[in-house]
Amino acid sequence: MSEQTILLEIEQGVALLTLNRPGSLNSFNADMHAEMRSAISQIRKNPEVRALLITGAGRGFCAGQDLSDRNVAPGAEVPDLGESIEKRYNPLLRSLRDLPMPVICAVNGVAAGAGANIALACDITLAARSASFIQAFCKIGLIPDSGGTWSLPRLVGMARAKALAMMGDKISAEQAAAWGMIWQCVDDEQLMDEALKLARHLASQPTAGLALIKRALNASMNNSFDEQLDLERDLQRLAGRTEDYREGVAAFIEKRKPEFKGR
Amino acid sequence: MSQNLLVQGPVKGVRILTLHRPEALNALNTALLGEISLALDEAEADSATGAVVITGDDRAFAAGADINEMASRDLVGILEDPRQAHWARIARFSKPLIAAINGFALGGGCELAMHADILIAGENARFGQPEINLGIMPGAGGTQRLLRAVGQSMAMQMVLTGEQISAKRALEAGLISEICVPELTLERAIAIAQIIAAKAPLAVRLAKEAIHKAADADLATGLRFERHAFTILAGTEDRKEGLAAFQEKRKPVFTGK
């Protein structure tokens, strides 16, 4: 094991996680899954970290599954893709969604297959103008996984979701932003500056409150209006007990800038 | 005196029992089961306690029995198992028992939860009877109470496969009555217990008994029991107080007589 497939730097409350197999457009193999898992568990355990920023090394963001891990020779036994999803992709997607902090994604280049859907599962996704999104699965007889069939209709509506998933067309970052699939498209050379600025800002905000906002919005996709009102009541009860809420109110009354601790 | 069970209260009529064997995900060894049954003896005897909440921690309510302990028992050992008396004591508790469940409630832990009258669970709760995976089966009501709570198909599936179900499915199936954000599960259970503890104790006790009766009697017997219990309450001072307070539009003050 020579090369690190995941780079993790933690600075000023921001964890910067870089997918690092640039030679293969940062596609996922077993090593990268394992390193990703350990990086996310480190982030979760570190109370200093208040925002996560994910990006890719080199010219691509992530090309999804490394198909050289998946070559099916004629006559060979068919691999159980369900198992790989159950053991690797699904836990990764669940852990990003459950992480109690904002997860920002800076899509620096092509995001294809599971790579696209990982980007879409993050809380706030920015993309470089030259980046693109491809639901490549349909071209090799598969279905969008890593939450794609869940995220797409919710982000862009069913009509566009079906066409994207069945045609596998490349969507530019500008188009993605225009459709509401991502938060913003920015010029290539500004992507990391913008993304870091956003991450640092969020890391200085009331993180516990942001985590509760994330929980509430994620749950709203499946809840009825009534259930959601109850959930808002419960999460607001928790939010009201945070130190940051006290600080926020105190600073407002004293007409000063609040100093949030993320608790 | 081992301290696997923390007892707090009563506060506003409610005692809280917290299973505390974090190193073993609150696995129910005989000692812990004994402590629970002792704590219920004390709660039963204390007129200031109107209801009891039982809970675990964030990760587990209770993740089963103590496997090492179980493995050391042979046929005769199981026949003379002291645990049966503890389970019977928990089942006999006459005051309302409310379980606040976060995380795993598996095997004996699921059975303990089902001994409660009301089950409140966090979204992260998982219920299951995995005994079948060890070549055994539920031995503390898991096949009986689960069937009554969730119906045959789900009970069979859970007991025969050992697979767990989520809090959401447990709610849909009627195993639990409310689902909470995990940080508020205990608080919600305590709030419910406090509401109950403020009611007339004799009415609460007989109402609980009547509902339990429904689980093992035919409808005619159950209705007869209900009528008798209803009649018994007619002789209580709390009934007079309750009705009078309603008519006078004030809060009743119950004395338990």
Side-chain angles (χ1 to χ4, degrees):
Chain A
M1 285 280 299
S2 47
E3 210 185 13
Q4 277 188 297
T5 65
I6 298 289
L7 306 177
L8 182 63
E9 298 164 55
I10 294 171
E11 203 190 330
Q12 294 175 41
V14 176
L16 174 60
L17 187 157
T18 309
L19 309 176
N20 189 39
R21 295 184 69 223
S24 333
L25 287 175
N26 305 319
S27 60
F28 273 92
N29 60 11
D31 285 347
M32 191 154 114
H33 272 293
E35 287 181 36
M36 186 80 169
R37 203 159 38 235
S38 98
I40 290 176
S41 128
Q42 256 178 277
I43 290 164
R44 182 181 270 284
K45 285 183 196 143
N46 186 342
E48 303 286 299
V49 179
R50 291 165 62 182
L52 166 61
L53 171 56
I54 301 177
T55 192
R59 65 195 172 90
F61 170 67
C62 174
Q65 170 66 34
D66 187 339
L67 290 177
S68 62
D69 261 19
R70 283 278 176 76
N71 193 10
V72 192
E77 203 181 328
V78 180
D80 181 354
L81 300 186
E83 195 187 344
S84 145
I85 288 177
E86 178 70 25
K87 290 197 174 141
R88 293 176 180 157
Y89 287 98
N90 285 358
L92 167 61
L93 272 294
R94 288 194 178 107
S95 67
L96 292 176
R97 201 171 139 88
D98 291 345
L99 214 55
M101 65 183 72
V103 177
I104 301 138
C105 188
V107 182
N108 52 300
V110 68
N117 292 335
I118 287 167
L120 299 184
C122 294
D123 298 316
I124 302 181
T125 302
L126 307 174
R129 207 165 295 280
S130 69
S132 56
F133 296 83
I134 314 170
Q135 296 292 328
F137 305 89
C138 58
K139 296 180 176 172
I140 53 169
L142 296 181
I143 71 159
D145 59 25
S146 300
T149 60
W150 191 91
S151 307
L152 280 173
R154 285 169 169 79
L155 293 168
V156 300
M158 192 57 88
R160 283 166 176 163
K162 281 188 178 159
L164 286 173
M166 291 187 180
M167 317 265 286
D169 284 352
K170 181 190 275 198
I171 296 298
S172 70
E174 277 177 29
Q175 182 75 87
W179 280 359
M181 201 160 98
I182 61 169
W183 166 233
Q184 257 179 7
C185 163
V186 297
D187 290 336
D188 287 20
E189 56 277 12
Q190 278 164 17
L191 176 70
M192 279 320 283
D193 283 351
E194 285 291 322
L196 273 168
K197 204 167 90 186
L198 179 63
R200 285 188 190 127
H201 166 73
L202 291 173
S204 71
Q205 294 301 298
T207 310
L210 298 183
L212 293 172
I213 292 175
K214 170 172 172 167
R215 258 169 90 175
L217 289 173
N218 282 341
S220 78
M221 296 295 187
N222 308 329
N223 274 349
S224 67
F225 185 58
D226 255 355
E227 288 168 329
Q228 192 65 16
L229 288 177
D230 286 348
L231 181 66
E232 284 180 0
R233 172 202 61 208
D234 292 344
L235 297 182
Q236 196 74 295
R237 183 170 279 154
L238 295 178
R241 291 174 192 172
T242 59
E243 287 175 33
D244 284 345
Y245 171 62
R246 280 174 189 276
E247 167 64 9
V249 173
F252 179 82
I253 291 170
E254 293 159 22
K255 298 190 169 112
R256 60 173 172 81
K257 209 167 165 257
E259 292 231 4
F260 296 118
K261 300 202 177 76
R263 293 190 297 266
Chain B
M1 183 64 194
S2 63
Q3 272 294 311
N4 293 322
L5 186 74
L6 311 176
V7 182
Q8 293 166 271
V11 174
K12 293 190 185 165
V14 175
R15 275 184 197 232
I16 304 166
L17 314 184
T18 307
L19 307 180
H20 186 63
R21 293 186 70 207
E23 74 285 358
L25 287 172
N26 297 327
L28 294 167
N29 60 9
T30 304
L32 177 51
L33 213 51
E35 284 183 61
I36 296 169
S37 103
L38 195 67
L40 293 181
D41 281 340
E42 288 165 3
E44 189 98 67
D46 173 24
S47 62
T49 298
V52 172
V53 171
I54 187 161
T55 193
D57 54 42
D58 297 346
R59 285 167 68 212
F61 176 70
D66 191 304
I67 304 291
N68 296 330
E69 197 182 75
M70 210 189 307
S72 68
R73 281 204 193 95
D74 58 6
L75 198 150
V76 175
I78 288 173
L79 200 64
E80 293 168 353
D81 195 341
R83 299 167 66 86
Q84 289 315 312
H86 298 319
W87 284 117
R89 203 282 158 256
I90 298 167
R92 209 174 57 240
F93 185 54
S94 71
K95 297 177 181 179
L97 179 63
I98 294 141
I101 303 144
N102 280 338
F104 297 115
L106 304 178
C110 187
E111 289 169 310
L112 177 62
M114 290 191 290
H115 274 71
D117 300 303
I118 299 173
L119 286 72
I120 305 298
E123 292 156 341
N124 64 345
R126 307 282 299 173
F127 297 86
Q129 300 288 164
E131 289 88 345
I132 201 83
N133 297 332
L134 306 175
I136 55 173
M137 61 177 278
T143 64
Q144 305 299 302
R145 291 191 175 87
L146 190 61
L147 169 78
R148 285 164 166 84
V150 305
Q152 176 174 305
S153 184
M154 190 182 266
M156 283 285 186
Q157 191 173 332
M158 286 173 70
V159 170
L160 301 185
T161 66
E163 284 173 4
Q164 303 170 13
I165 61 167
S166 66
K168 194 156 187 288
R169 289 197 70 199
L171 181 71
E172 288 159 2
L175 180 61
I176 63 175
S177 56
E178 268 189 42
I179 202 163
C180 272
V181 297
E183 297 93 325
L184 294 175
T185 311
L186 178 58
E187 196 173 312
R188 178 64 186 144
I190 293 170
I192 292 168
Q194 286 175 346
I195 292 172
I196 295 170
K199 310 293 181 198
L202 289 170
V204 166
R205 181 178 167 165
L206 286 171
K208 165 172 168 167
E209 215 175 323
I211 291 175
H212 276 300
K213 197 78 181 171
D216 31 69
D218 60 277
L219 181 61
T221 311
L223 289 172
R224 203 157 53 239
F225 181 89
E226 185 189 76
R227 194 69 220 165
H228 290 161
F230 191 84
T231 309
I232 290 169
L233 290 180
T236 63
E237 285 174 24
D238 279 348
R239 174 180 181 272
K240 283 194 205 94
E241 168 63 9
L243 297 178
F246 183 81
Q247 284 169 332
E248 294 158 22
K249 296 186 173 132
R250 60 173 174 82
K251 255 185 111 173
V253 181
F254 296 120
T255 57
K257 288 177 194 154

